[in-house]
Amino acid sequence: MRTRTPLNDGWLFRPDFDDALVAPDAAEDGFARVRLPHTNLELPFNNFDETASAFVSCYRRHVHLDAAALAGSRVRLCFEGVMAAATVFCNGRLAGEHLGGYTGFDVELTGLVTAGDNVVVVAVDSTERPDIPPFGGVIDYLTYGGIYREVQLEILPEAFIADLCVRSAPTGRGRSLSLVLTVDNAPRTAADLVAEVALTGPDGDVASHRFPVRLGEDPSPSFEAGFEAPGVQLWDLDSPVLYTVVTMLLADGEPVDVHSFRTGFRDAAFTPDGFVLNGRPLKLRGLNRHQSYPYVGYAMPRRAQRADAEILKGELGVNIVRTSHYPQSRHFLDACDELGLLVFEELPGWQHIGDAGWQANALADVEAMIRRDRHRPSVVLWGVRINESADDDAFYAASNALAHRIDPTRQTGGVRNFENSHLLEDVYTYNDFAHRGDNEPLKTKAAVTSHAAPYLVTEHNGHMFPTKKFDTEERRTEHALRHLRVLEQAYATPGVAGAIGWSMTDYNTHAEFGSGDRVCYHGVLDAFRLPKDAAAAYASQADDGVYLAVSSRMNPGELDEAKIGRVYVFTNCEAVRLSLGGEVIGTHLPDRTRFGHLPHPPVVIDDFIGDRLVREQGLSPAAAAGVKRLLAAVVRYGDKALPLRHQADGGLTMLRHGLSRDDVVALYNRYVSGWGTPSREYTFEGLVGGEVVCSTTLGPSHSAALVVEPDVTSLVEDETYDVCRIVVRHVDTLGHDLPYSTEAVTVEVDGAASLIGPAVLPLLGGSTAFWIRSDGVGPISISVGSQRLGRHRLTLQSTGNG
């Protein structure tokens, strides 16, 4: 029977390699003990030499096998991700090689291992080799290095299930299933076996089927069988129902091998009219994701990978993610399956196409990606074209043909950034960076392509308007609005399946890109997964729960000419009620004039006066209305550049109501500029059905406290170490992050965990975060603070897996 054992602990690492290290009896002094996932070099947050992690390193591990386990068995190591080339040795002999950092691979150890102690050595080449995608040109992201995903040891029977896929189609009673099973029969064992497949869902067994499997001289025979699965529930965004497919090979009624995976059943199609899921048109609203994290790059375990999917679905409210620009962790994709988050999965690459050998490696990546993930209901599109590359009809004819052969159930896309590209894929996927703030948010489909194929915008914004969490309020607001304008245009345009924004998070990059500090500040979240204002553009479009975020802190001195002219409330509420100093000054509705196609248009507030001119100044309603029009015009145009129509209207108002210029200036300074006048608190209340469901108060405030919040209170040691993110926020007296706080905090971690990254952290835009890594089982003590703000002490627990 097959056994699969995690092999993530007990590795030795050194940041160099030579042939002498391959010997089983090589000295092990100079090695450090590490756990997988592992990065070959922890990097600073920014301002580093990106070539620092590009070197060849050595990993070494002792593997004990007993004679009983080896009898009549085959042995292999299963690597999920090594950046970027791996050469594997066992007991001093070459076992296998793999080129490519984003797809998994198996190395056969049969015949190389013996009962007792065995030594596995992996030489890891993390340089940017021109024969390995995505390398050969320049790329706008870092690839880091190391064995950065998990490893397993498999003990297998001589003939075992090597590949299995299930395809389905709707029937009147449920689904008809077609199962294709491939057996690895390298020893060419002759045997008459029986395959038994069982489909189990949330309510128990659904269907089962048996069929014969006759093995002979073919080392890789395939078998196909069809059967009915009545009553199957469809996987959907709000009900992501998953089923388990368990397949056993039986010899004389006894199991020889067992293979299982989860899947879901849904009908998804990109059409010229848009995207359709289970017969229902669905506008796609998404973000691109890089799998990198501060300090450790790609090397993060299950919890952190899953957390990104939870943020995308639960906090940002998107319905699709693009895995730019490579296949990503199975843990991330598992969470997408479970949460109901659609995925556009893409092969590794960025603009550059290499020679014939490079292209062969790219096609191998396509095959590995699809074979690994074709059972996932979340995956609805395969990316089989190098991101933003030139047309190459021969290469892309091959990549599309390969994808359709391995998985005829899904469509293909290929992301380009230029018009009138050749179309060999099923869906024309296009990076549209047309929007500059004052022009059209998206190009028309007709301006991009003459093909009548389905059409999807796969990137927008990003480098067009990089925004830091600590930028000015005006820039942070414009960042959010640019995302909203693109989403509005996508929703408004028939035939556009949707828009996937660039990007989920900030990320480290090469010297040719970013802000000169090796960071691309393109995310709606920062690199620590903390929100910028643009996150509100997405979060406010969700139908679940209530959401309200205000684009301004209502501090006049932050704004040009100290004018609070227009404030955007990003919300999914029906209306927003505004109060000043406890008095209601107006109720405002969503702006359906400029954002009428969005599920939840923002509420735009440009009247912060209400009826106060009547109540506080004794003006008549007519005079108050005239003065408000004049003051609004001054806010928009300035007092030295008022258009004639506003000059005339204002002059008539002053004449009719006996107001002097000094009177109007005084009213402007009191009700608009706020410069030098007493500040008051503004309260924004979200209303649904006329009832207050959420609120926030903004206005004068000062430093109040340091808030330290762990994502979880218990870490679990399972297949490998666990991690926990801890968020640190410097808040004001109203509970909001102080956007320009650069307070430095120190972190101390004791007990069954260690700190990832430096122990002294500057706050960026009033907040930051750090991760801790479990180091066994037991209590964990964490201290975070500064001399000014005091210290916070947390106690977490690290437990075993049961």
Side-chain angles (χ1 to χ4, degrees), residues 35 59 63 103 153 243-244 275 330 334 342 390 402 470-471 483 517 547 559 593 657 664 687 717 719 739 763 776 796:
R35 305 175 75 186
Y59 290 81
V63 179
T103 51
L153 175 72
Y243 291 83
T244 301
F275 179 72
R330 65 178 165 96
D334 284 346
L342 301 173
L402 177 63
F470 46 87
D471 273 336
H483 279 269
D517 64 346
Y547 184 86
L559 306 169
T593 301
H657 302 288
V664 174
L687 306 178
E717 289 260 323
E719 293 186 358
L763 301 186
L796 279 62

Side-chain angles (χ1 to χ4, degrees), residues 175-459:
R175 309 289 289 192
S176 65
L177 303 184
S178 175
L179 182 143
V180 180
L181 179 152
T182 302
V183 176
D184 184 319
N185 188 30
R188 291 175 168 80
T189 303
D192 288 331
L193 307 177
V194 172
E196 182 176 274
V197 56
L199 181 68
T200 305
D203 299 322
D205 294 341
V206 174
S208 62
H209 184 67
R210 294 167 66 98
F211 58 94
V213 172
R214 174 164 291 181
L215 304 182
E217 287 299 310
D218 188 343
S220 184
S222 291
F223 307 86
E224 187 167 355
F227 59 99
E228 296 294 314
V232 166
Q233 302 175 57
L234 293 183
W235 183 96
D236 212 322
L237 302 187
D238 297 324
S239 57
V241 180
L242 295 173
Y243 291 83
T244 301
V245 179
V246 178
T247 304
M248 296 197 322
L249 287 182
L250 305 172
D252 299 324
E254 295 297 320
V256 175
D257 189 26
V258 179
H259 183 289
S260 69
F261 62 86
R262 290 189 312 175
T263 191
F265 305 104
R266 83 288 179 276
D267 298 308
F270 290 85
T271 76
D273 295 324
F275 179 72
V276 179
L277 181 64
N278 298 329
R280 183 184 79 256
L282 175 68
K283 191 68 78 169
L284 298 176
R285 180 180 71 246
L287 288 163
N288 287 266
R289 181 206 186 225
H290 271 307
Q291 66 178 14
S292 56
Y293 298 81
Y295 315 123
V296 293
Y298 289 163
M300 274 292 198
R302 179 178 183 271
R303 188 187 300 276
Q305 302 288 346
R306 292 181 59 88
D308 273 9
E310 292 163 358
I311 291 170
L312 285 162
K313 173 84 175 188
E315 295 183 20
L316 297 174
V318 302
N319 54 29
I320 190 169
V321 58
R322 174 179 168 224
T323 65
S324 47
H325 304 285
Y326 39 77
Q328 298 186 3
S329 165
R330 65 178 165 96
H331 302 304
F332 175 74
L333 296 172
D334 284 346
C336 293
D337 285 338
E338 295 167 16
L339 295 169
L341 179 62
L342 301 173
V343 177
F344 171 16
E345 190 170 15
E346 186 174 42
L347 85 165
W350 201 83
Q351 296 188 344
H352 170 76
I353 301 174
D355 61 14
W358 188 100
Q359 293 179 33
N361 288 331
L363 292 176
D365 286 335
V366 170
E367 180 167 0
M369 171 181 73
I370 296 176
R371 289 194 184 279
R372 187 192 72 165
D373 293 328
R374 62 186 170 182
H375 62 280
R376 297 185 179 279
S378 60
V379 177
V380 292
L381 192 64
W382 298 122
V384 297
R385 178 186 175 110
I386 301 300
N387 174 70
E388 297 186 344
S389 61
D391 288 333
D392 187 322
D393 288 2
F395 179 34
Y396 293 134
S399 68
N400 276 274
L402 177 63
H404 287 136
R405 177 175 61 81
I406 302 172
D407 180 16
T409 69
R410 286 179 180 82
Q411 292 162 292
T412 60
V415 175
R416 65 269 287 155
N417 61 347
F418 59 95
E419 296 75 39
N420 300 309
S421 169
H422 299 176
L423 180 63
L424 299 172
E425 303 82 32
D426 301 311
V427 183
Y428 199 103
T429 48
Y430 179 67
N431 291 347
D432 190 333
F433 295 111
H435 190 43
R436 299 185 302 273
D438 58 355
N439 64 333
E440 73 279 5
L442 290 173
K443 294 182 178 180
T444 65
K445 178 181 176 182
V448 175
T449 178
S450 60
H451 295 285
Y455 185 80
L456 174 66
V457 175
T458 41
E459 292 183 30

Side-chain angles (χ1 to χ4, degrees), residues 739-757:
Y740 303 120
S741 173
T742 57
E743 191 79 15
V745 299
T746 59
V747 180
E748 298 173 1
V749 179
D750 293 307
S754 56
L755 174 66
I756 296 176

Side-chain angles (χ1 to χ4, degrees), residues 686-709:
L687 306 178
V688 175
E691 299 294 324
V692 176
V693 294
C694 56
S695 68
T696 187
T697 298
L698 298 157
S701 62
H702 55 80
S703 171
L706 198 66
V707 176
V708 181
E709 299 171 317

Side-chain angles (χ1 to χ4, degrees), residues 495-574:
V496 175
I500 305 176
W502 190 267
S503 61
M504 175 189 174
T505 64
D506 297 342
Y507 55 95
N508 288 125
T509 190
H510 286 76
E512 294 85 356
F513 306 96
S515 295
D517 64 346
R518 305 307 191 270
V519 178
C520 270
Y521 295 96
H522 297 176
V524 302
L525 310 175
D526 71 8
F528 298 96
R529 281 60 178 164
L530 301 176
K532 304 176 189 177
D533 291 20
Y538 290 88
S540 62
Q541 301 310 305
D543 293 324
D544 296 338
V546 294
Y547 184 86
L548 184 148
V550 182
S551 68
S552 175
R553 292 302 182 87
M554 309 307 288
N555 294 315
E558 158 72 357
L559 306 169
D560 292 347
E561 301 178 45
K563 297 183 297 190
I564 301 176
R566 178 176 291 168
V567 169
Y568 294 84
V569 183
F570 305 108
T571 183
N572 56 8
C573 294
E574 295 172 354

